[in-house]
Amino acid sequence: METTNKPLEKLNIFSFKGVQMRTFHLTWMAFFLCFFGWFGLAPLMTVIKTDLGLTKPQIGNIIIASVAATVIARIAIGKLCDTWGPRKTYTALLGLGSIPVMTVGLVDSYEGFLLFRLAIGVIGASFVVTQYHTSVMFDKKIVGTANAVAGGWGNLGGGITNMVMPLIFAAFVGAGYLPESAWRIAMVIPGAALLIFAFVYYFFTKDTPAGNFEDLAVANPKAAKAKGTLGIAMRDPRTWALFLAYGACFGIEITFDNVAALYFFENFDTSLATAGILAGTFGFMNIFARAVGGIVADKVGNKWGMLGKGRLLALLLVLEGIGIALFAQSGSIIGAVITMLCFAMFLKMANGATYAIVPFINQKAIGSVSGIVGAGGNVGAVLAGFLFKSSEISYSQAFMYIGVAIACIAAIVALINFEKTQSITAETGQLEPAEVKA
């Protein structure tokens, strides 16, 4: 029995009571599995590189492909959340996304692998549904924290997959499979999990605390209207400031998820398992770091409003950029790990702070704003991927350039006034007062 049909004002992470908390847990779990499937190949790239005879530029193209399709997918998924509803949207994404994850092992060439990596990247749009769903399930007082915890625990999949996939691979090798077969079979496991969870999400969540979009439309024909939300979101400069910010934090996170194991393996002569554990530590910080960003942003917002949240985000980006530059210059594995943990903390806090601002840009177009900003993360990853693709730029140099670019974006974010007093409504196209109090 549901306790309320309104957004919750408190986040009790140990509770499954009510549609809000049930949806909260299922949506981060779905995102976790999507991240696991999305980056399941990353810690196995040393084996795949040998099996398919991949060159450094080809690996660079694969890294870009893994995040490129997500740019368009996130914008489209954001619009679908506004119109079709997050429940059906997530179900479809999980079901369709499971197919290339389970069947990527069928490829035997660079070109085929590249296309599959592109297709798998679509499931990265799952983040938008997670952020949309938590945004409508929780009150504005706590929504930044809820978004950050759900996003962080989902992102945890990127760290866990770096730790677990090499173990799954090793288990199949131990069972008698050759390495070139073991990595292919290993990918069936995350794919099957995605397919199963598609059914779980459909039957155990609702679009809003008050019910599904189709039910609301019957009860109140105006309740589920969401026309022109994408255009509304695109015309607001604050959307694009957050687009850049998310490219500078989450874009670098998924780039690092893709290259970290390979970087440690090649630069510090570690074993494949050790490289996976070190890379996994970066992702594992999502269990708390992104949540800390959301919690701090909510507290700053309650005291200093959206202007304070914006300045907090800019500060976190500056610290992230400095940390990455120091990581790039680390000559020892101990120094690299310490600086990685430092910049990871600020990066993941910036992720949380960004989506503590997103729900307040335009509350009638949350899905579209969330989709565009989320796409910014992937645009950042694509641009960073070109640096890692170049045969003339070392990975260390690429990280240094990224650190400088992040500092520049932080300066832009610091100049944006997120406490805008007017916004355009999705229904009328007219200006109306915006809710800016966090």
Side-chain angles (χ1 to χ4, degrees):
M1 182 175 178
E2 312 301 350
T3 57
T4 177
N5 63 354
K6 295 181 179 180
L8 294 183
E9 295 185 359
K10 293 183 179 180
L11 175 64
N12 181 0
I13 60 173
F14 299 107
S15 172
F16 277 80
K17 187 177 182 181
V19 66
Q20 299 94 331
M21 288 310 304
R22 187 169 67 244
T23 298
F24 168 81
H25 286 293
L26 290 179
T27 200
W28 78 254
M29 289 176 187
F31 185 34
F32 178 98
L33 290 175
C34 286
F35 230 104
F36 201 99
W38 189 10
F39 290 101
L41 292 165
L44 306 179
M45 281 305 297
T46 51
V47 178
I48 298 169
K49 177 183 178 181
T50 302
D51 183 23
L52 300 182
L54 302 175
T55 64
K56 184 185 178 185
Q58 287 176 333
I59 292 175
N61 287 334
I62 289 166
I63 292 173
I64 293 169
S66 71
V67 294
T70 322
V71 175
I72 303 300
R74 285 191 167 185
I75 295 174
I77 289 296
K79 176 63 176 174
L80 282 175
C81 284
D82 282 331
T83 55
W84 201 31
R87 173 173 151 269
K88 290 180 180 177
T89 301
Y90 225 150
T91 299
L93 186 61
L94 288 164
L96 293 175
S98 70
I99 298 172
V101 175
M102 285 191 288
T103 57
V104 65
L106 298 175
V107 303
D108 58 3
S109 67
Y110 156 68
E111 292 79 12
F113 189 77
L114 184 69
L115 290 175
F116 266 87
R117 205 68 186 93
L118 190 70
I120 290 172
V122 172
I123 62 176
S126 55
F127 169 75
V128 177
V129 196
T130 289
Q131 296 296 280
Y132 181 97
H133 227 164
T134 48
S135 292
V136 298
M137 290 291 173
F138 292 89
D139 185 83
K140 61 184 180 180
K141 297 176 182 177
I142 196 70
V143 69
T145 300
N147 277 350
V149 175
W153 288 0
N155 280 358
L156 191 59
I160 298 299
T161 191
N162 270 308
M163 297 177 176
V164 173
M165 286 305 292
L167 298 179
I168 295 175
F169 165 79
F172 282 112
V173 171
Y177 291 94
L178 294 174
E180 52 266 34
S181 298
W183 75 262
R184 301 167 187 272
I185 301 171
M187 287 302 294
V188 173
I189 292 176
L194 288 169
L195 183 60
I196 292 169
F197 216 78
F199 292 95
V200 174
Y201 208 86
Y202 183 83
F203 289 109
F204 293 97
T205 67
K206 291 183 179 180
D207 290 321
T208 73
N212 294 320
F213 276 19
E214 56 266 32
D215 301 326
L216 297 176
V218 172
N220 180 4
K222 292 184 179 181
K225 276 191 174 182
K227 293 181 179 179
T229 57
L230 184 58
I232 303 310
M234 293 180 71
R235 291 198 290 273
D236 194 322
R238 296 172 299 170
T239 302
W240 296 107
L242 294 175
F243 175 94
L244 290 174
Y246 208 56
C249 51
F250 183 71
I252 305 309
E253 175 171 358
I254 55 179
T255 299
F256 198 81
D257 280 332
N258 259 325
V259 304
L262 196 59
Y263 181 79
F264 283 115
F265 181 81
E266 295 185 348
N267 280 46
F268 299 105
D269 197 30
T270 66
S271 66
L272 180 61
T274 300
I277 290 172
L278 292 176
T281 303
F282 173 83
F284 197 78
M285 289 180 68
N286 276 306
I287 197 168
F288 66 91
R290 184 167 183 147
V292 171
I295 292 168
V296 173
D298 276 344
K299 291 186 179 299
V300 168
N302 289 333
K303 188 169 184 178
W304 289 292
M306 298 302 295
L307 188 61
K309 282 188 176 183
R311 297 293 160 79
L312 171 66
L313 176 57
L315 174 62
L316 291 171
L317 290 173
V318 168
L319 295 173
E320 176 199 343
I322 293 172
I324 290 177
L326 292 175
F327 172 79
Q329 298 179 66
S330 299
S332 68
I333 191 167
I334 294 175
V337 170
I338 292 173
T339 52
M340 176 189 75
L341 295 178
C342 289
F343 88 72
M345 185 68 191
F346 298 123
L347 179 155
K348 294 169 194 298
M349 284 183 69
N351 286 340
T354 301
Y355 271 83
I357 298 174
V358 164
F360 299 95
I361 299 300
N362 192 304
Q363 294 190 2
K364 293 183 174 68
I366 292 175
S368 293
V369 174
S370 184
I372 293 172
V373 175
N378 290 86
V379 170
V382 169
L383 295 177
F386 281 107
L387 292 175
F388 291 100
K389 171 187 174 182
S390 174
S391 57
E392 299 177 357
I393 300 175
S394 70
Y395 279 10
S396 295
Q397 289 174 316
F399 282 124
M400 179 63 74
Y401 296 150
I402 287 170
V404 173
I406 292 171
C408 293
I409 291 173
I412 295 172
V413 172
L415 295 173
I416 296 296
N417 180 12
F418 289 100
E419 205 158 38
K420 194 173 179 181
T421 57
Q422 290 182 311
S423 63
I424 304 171
T425 71
E427 293 174 348
T428 66
Q430 302 298 312
L431 289 172
E432 70 168 11
E435 292 186 49
V436 295
K437 278 288 182 183

